[in-house]
Amino acid sequence: MELLFLGTGAGTPSRQRNVTSIALNLQGVRSGSWLFDCGEGTQHQILRSAVKPGKLEKIFITHLHGDHIFGLPGLLTSRSMNGISEGITLYGPPGIKTFVEMSLSLSGSWLTFPLEIVEIGAGELFSDEHFRVTAFPLTHPVECYGFRIEEHDRPGTLDAERLLADGIKPGRLFQQLKLGKTVTMEDGRVVDGSRYLGPAIKGRTLAIFGDTAPTAAASALAAEADVVVHEATLEAAMEEKANGRGHSSTVQAATMAKDARAKKLIITHLSSRYLREDAERLLAECRAIFPATEMAHDFALFPL
């Protein structure tokens, strides 16, 4: 899996940073991808990336501020005009359904693919064969959520040498054995695949925060995550201003990651007041507290 940042700015786009959108490529698990927020111009950013609109399975919207949703109607309608028929599930706070349906209706637009819109609250959104996704409420002037994506543990490595030693030869049933299932071999023997598996491989955990001031929910949302994506809208010297508008400073983002025992922090959602030459200074503020911090730039790619 990998994270691709399509937009890393806050509030308004700048020449160096578009507004918020993040793509999660599920390669290695399944063929699709998920999108987190869809600020204005996201589809233009997608055109400059490896993201395939036809492979989008799900879109998660953290909150209804324009820099997180104004690109959504355009992306959906362009997807239709390009003849894509695969459906999408859209998750977002109450009001997202009205926003999408009104935008399509007033613009005389329509969709050629199934669109399921799920208006969310705090709690588990879904759990399938690969992932569990949970929404956590954040502290912002409008209803806002962060998402914890937990990959289920995977079966351990199949001990092929031991199978061969027990007279079980490679064949069409090996795939079932790799999943730990019990199968009946062609010679009639019943083989329990779990007896030939090594220790389970722990799944990865990713925490993606929406806009937020420091919040009590952060400890559960980010707890021991492999990667945390968190806003750092303003520098430490402007912390009071950041918090007053429902945002966090660099130092607050880094402190949260440290307290949550996260493995890596990626900061994003930087104010347009900061130019590229300011980035190292903001990153240094984070690393002074949490050394395993990276800063996202538009089109930055982070393997998970």
Side-chain angles (χ1 to χ4, degrees), residues 12-273:
T12 61
S14 68
R15 292 184 178 183
Q16 296 177 344
R17 296 179 183 271
N18 197 48
V19 286
T20 299
S21 185
I22 306 169
L24 174 62
N25 185 344
L26 302 174
Q27 65 175 8
V29 181
R30 55 196 196 213
S31 61
S33 58
W34 295 350
L35 195 67
F36 293 83
D37 286 331
C38 190
E40 178 186 356
T42 292
Q43 66 172 319
H44 294 273
Q45 300 290 86
I46 286 175
L47 290 173
R48 300 171 59 194
S49 77
V51 176
K52 304 297 183 186
K55 293 290 188 179
L56 286 175
E57 296 179 357
K58 300 179 184 293
I59 300 175
F60 299 84
I61 299 297
T62 60
H63 64 294
L64 301 186
H65 277 158
D67 58 320
H68 294 255
I69 64 169
F70 281 170
L72 191 53
L75 175 61
L76 295 176
T77 54
S78 292
R79 202 172 182 271
S80 287
M81 294 176 74
N82 287 326
I84 296 170
S85 59
E86 288 80 5
I88 284 182
T89 304
L90 171 64
Y91 300 88
I96 189 64
K97 183 178 178 68
T98 299
F99 171 74
V100 170
E101 292 181 346
M102 189 67 72
S103 297
L104 297 178
S105 175
L106 291 176
S107 63
S109 303
W110 64 90
L111 302 181
T112 59
F113 57 86
L115 175 65
E116 180 185 6
I117 302 177
V118 180
E119 295 196 328
I120 66 173
E124 183 178 295
L125 302 185
F126 69 89
S127 182
D128 62 17
E129 69 272 25
H130 296 126
F131 300 100
R132 176 176 183 256
V133 178
T134 308
F136 289 79
L138 302 179
T139 301
H140 201 54
V142 299
E143 189 169 351
C144 185
Y145 294 92
F147 301 104
R148 183 176 173 92
I149 302 99
E150 297 170 290
E151 182 185 24
H152 298 312
D153 292 348
R154 290 164 288 165
T157 303
L158 185 68
D159 190 341
E161 290 187 4
R162 188 168 154 228
L163 282 168
L164 290 171
D166 288 349
I168 304 168
K169 297 180 179 180
R172 61 183 181 84
L173 296 176
F174 254 45
Q175 189 60 42
Q176 298 299 309
L177 294 173
K178 287 180 180 179
L179 297 175
K181 295 183 178 180
T182 298
V183 301
T184 301
M185 308 301 291
E186 293 179 356
D187 60 6
R189 283 182 296 171
V190 177
V191 179
D192 180 1
S194 65
R195 294 180 55 241
Y196 295 89
L197 294 179
I201 301 169
K202 183 172 176 54
R204 293 156 288 187
T205 298
L206 170 64
I208 297 180
F209 281 70
D211 293 3
T212 188
T215 182
S219 58
L221 172 52
E224 299 183 358
D226 294 287
V227 176
V228 174
V229 178
H230 197 287
E231 66 137 286
T233 304
L234 293 171
E235 61 195 286
M238 302 183 71
E239 195 165 276
E240 185 176 351
K241 182 175 183 178
N243 296 169
R245 297 181 179 180
H247 293 293
S248 297
S249 71
T250 50
V251 167
Q252 289 172 327
T255 301
M256 180 283 302
K258 179 181 178 181
D259 291 346
R261 300 181 302 282
K263 295 181 177 65
K264 177 185 284 189
L265 169 66
I266 304 174
I267 56 170
T268 185
H269 200 269
L270 271 66
S271 168
S272 59
R273 74 179 60 229

